[in-house]
Amino acid sequence: MVEFITMAPTSGDSEYVGGPSKDKNIDGWTGTGTDANREPSVDYITQVAQAAERGGFSTLLLPIGGLCIDSLVAASHLTARTETLKFLYAVRPSSTAPTILAKQFASIDEWSNGRINVNIVTGGSPQELASDGDLLSHTERYRRTREYIYILKRLFAGEKFDFNGEFYQLKGAYLPRLPKQTPPIFFGGSSDVAKAVAADLADVYMLWGETIENTKAEIDSVKALASQKGRELSYSFSFQVVIGDTEEEAWAKANKLISQVDPEFLALKHQQTLANGAVGVNRLHTLMVASKDNNFVIGPNLWAGLTQVLSGNSIALVGTPDQVAARIVEYVDLGFDKVLLRGFPHLETIEEVGQKVIPRVRTLLAEREAKVV
């Protein structure tokens, strides 16, 4: 059965995206700069987590970078205020040593009764990485990530070992308190070196949703690499979601999201994307630019309008609940077993997806399975 994931807006939330920002900070994952209508307060993020749990989502992603509340701190708080929801907290290898992360993970795992997973994030904007002291090149960062995941997996397996790598040197490393279950490593990246790391070490490979053709090419390329290693991975795809009772209403809501875009913010974001060099970000940017004269429509119910102002997961499914559910099933058929859905504002979108989309997707898949039997 398909698993549904959503994301907490821990850098702020808004009814509009890419609006004016006091300091022109463009590193917020939500695209709201520092003038978010809703700050990522304890109360608001707790509401988001509890809505996700009620709505049938299995997991809440806690992102890293930009203006985000620290993902580990958020996970520690939210596990105590939910009962079944899992938390996927993002971490960069540059920010926490693998042995320290493993101990932190095991502690939260113990207190949450096994409701925690980890998402290894290699990149980010060059400016932000540099501000944190991470000056490695793209290729060097992925070599470090390879060592990082390798060490984590050995620690989670209960081994005691020495390690003498390019980036980490360990003597007698071990994890005193093991997680209840060996946690899967969530990981994403579109470059060749990233895919090689995924094929060798990741358990869940995460992709940003785009056109069906591009997405199929991406998942097929990683499947082929993993097969060469004798491995099978789990796969997740991510979309923004804009829902209306009619298709016309959905498109009106989508256009409203970017109706207050600040031209200066737009120009800064464009420059940042060109300077970033990230393969996946550039591919989405290319789709957005090519579709500008068609109101950023890139396929049936597929919209790249948010890609103007968001980093990463920015392509949106736009339509009625039935249309959105049908599109999701088409992507599931490519080999995905996890779906990450989010939108603006996050709280209302999570509630709407939980009420109107998740049940429809499950019904469509169940009906098809019944026909096969």
Side-chain angles (χ1 to χ4, degrees):
M1 184 59 71
V2 173
E3 181 180 346
F4 290 90
I5 304 170
T6 191
M7 193 189 88
T10 55
S11 65
D13 203 359
S14 180
E15 296 179 31
Y16 301 93
V17 183
S21 172
K22 293 190 293 291
D23 58 6
K24 302 304 177 187
N25 190 310
I26 58 175
D27 286 327
W29 276 80
T30 63
T32 54
T34 53
D35 290 337
N37 297 142
R38 302 176 189 177
E39 294 296 325
S41 66
V42 168
D43 288 343
Y44 185 59
I45 301 302
T46 300
Q47 287 182 56
V48 167
Q50 292 172 345
E53 186 170 66
R54 290 193 305 270
F57 290 92
S58 70
T59 305
L60 183 68
L61 171 62
L62 302 169
I64 191 171
L67 307 173
C68 293
I69 297 294
D70 183 82
S71 57
L72 180 65
V73 171
S76 300
H77 172 83
L78 294 171
T79 54
R81 286 154 182 82
T82 51
E83 297 179 0
T84 60
L85 190 67
K86 298 176 186 176
F87 295 91
L88 176 60
Y89 78 96
V91 64
R92 287 178 176 149
S94 59
S95 62
T96 308
T99 49
I100 301 301
L101 174 68
K103 293 172 184 175
Q104 292 171 333
F105 181 96
S107 297
I108 302 179
D109 179 84
E110 176 72 23
W111 281 10
S112 69
N113 195 28
R115 292 191 290 124
I116 194 77
N117 287 312
V118 63
N119 172 208
I120 305 300
V121 179
T122 302
S125 76
Q127 296 85 352
E128 183 185 348
L129 293 172
S131 73
D132 287 335
D134 188 357
L135 303 177
L136 298 181
S137 69
H138 175 274
T139 301
E140 288 172 328
R141 290 200 304 272
Y142 278 98
R143 291 207 305 268
R144 178 180 60 193
T145 294
R146 177 180 288 277
E147 290 188 8
Y148 198 90
I149 297 176
Y150 175 78
I151 291 169
L152 279 181
K153 298 193 90 165
R154 292 189 67 177
L155 290 169
F156 289 148
E159 296 183 36
K160 185 172 183 178
F161 59 96
D162 297 340
F163 183 81
N164 186 27
E166 180 181 1
F167 300 96
Y168 301 102
Q169 291 78 44
L170 307 173
K171 298 293 184 183
Y174 75 103
L175 187 56
R177 187 182 299 276
L178 295 178
K180 292 183 178 298
Q181 297 180 346
T182 302
I185 301 295
F186 287 68
F187 172 78
S190 293
S191 64
D192 290 343
V193 64
K195 290 177 180 177
V197 172
D200 286 341
L201 293 168
D203 299 299
V204 182
Y205 182 68
M206 306 179 76
L207 294 87
W208 296 325
E210 41 190 303
T211 64
I212 197 82
E213 297 81 10
N214 283 6
T215 306
K216 183 178 188 307
E218 288 300 295
I219 190 174
D220 285 351
S221 68
V222 178
K223 283 182 178 179
L225 289 172
S227 179
Q228 292 172 12
K229 303 291 184 177
R231 303 186 70 230
E232 291 187 7
L233 309 185
S234 174
Y235 295 90
S236 165
F237 68 95
S238 308
F239 276 114
Q240 302 280 336
V241 179
V242 184
I243 301 171
D245 290 334
T246 65
E247 188 171 2
E248 292 74 18
E249 179 185 333
W251 284 109
K253 289 172 66 175
N255 290 322
K256 180 183 176 182
L257 282 174
I258 56 173
S259 63
Q260 296 187 11
V261 167
D262 177 11
E264 188 174 353
F265 182 98
L266 204 63
L268 289 169
K269 198 68 180 179
H270 179 72
Q271 293 171 11
Q272 184 197 61
T273 299
L274 295 178
N276 189 308
V279 174
V281 171
N282 287 340
R283 193 167 56 246
L284 299 191
H285 187 75
T286 299
L287 287 171
M288 181 271 293
V289 171
S291 62
K292 185 175 181 180
D293 293 337
N294 191 34
N295 191 32
F296 305 107
V297 176
I298 61 173
N301 305 109
L302 285 176
W303 186 56
L306 292 173
T307 306
Q308 300 174 92
V309 290
L310 296 184
S311 298
N313 173 23
S314 60
I315 304 298
L317 294 172
V318 181
T320 66
D322 285 332
Q323 289 174 324
V324 170
R327 297 291 85 76
I328 289 172
V329 170
E330 290 173 356
Y331 283 83
V332 168
D333 285 343
L334 298 179
F336 293 96
D337 57 6
K338 294 177 175 58
V339 186
L340 195 161
L341 303 174
R342 53 173 287 216
F344 296 92
H346 285 67
L347 178 59
E348 287 85 344
T349 301
I350 287 169
E351 291 174 337
E352 196 167 26
V353 169
Q355 293 167 6
K356 300 178 180 179
V357 175
I358 290 178
R360 281 174 165 83
V361 172
R362 288 177 172 159
T363 296
L364 288 172
L365 293 175
E367 288 176 348
R368 193 167 58 184
E369 288 180 10
K371 289 180 181 179
V372 172
V373 175

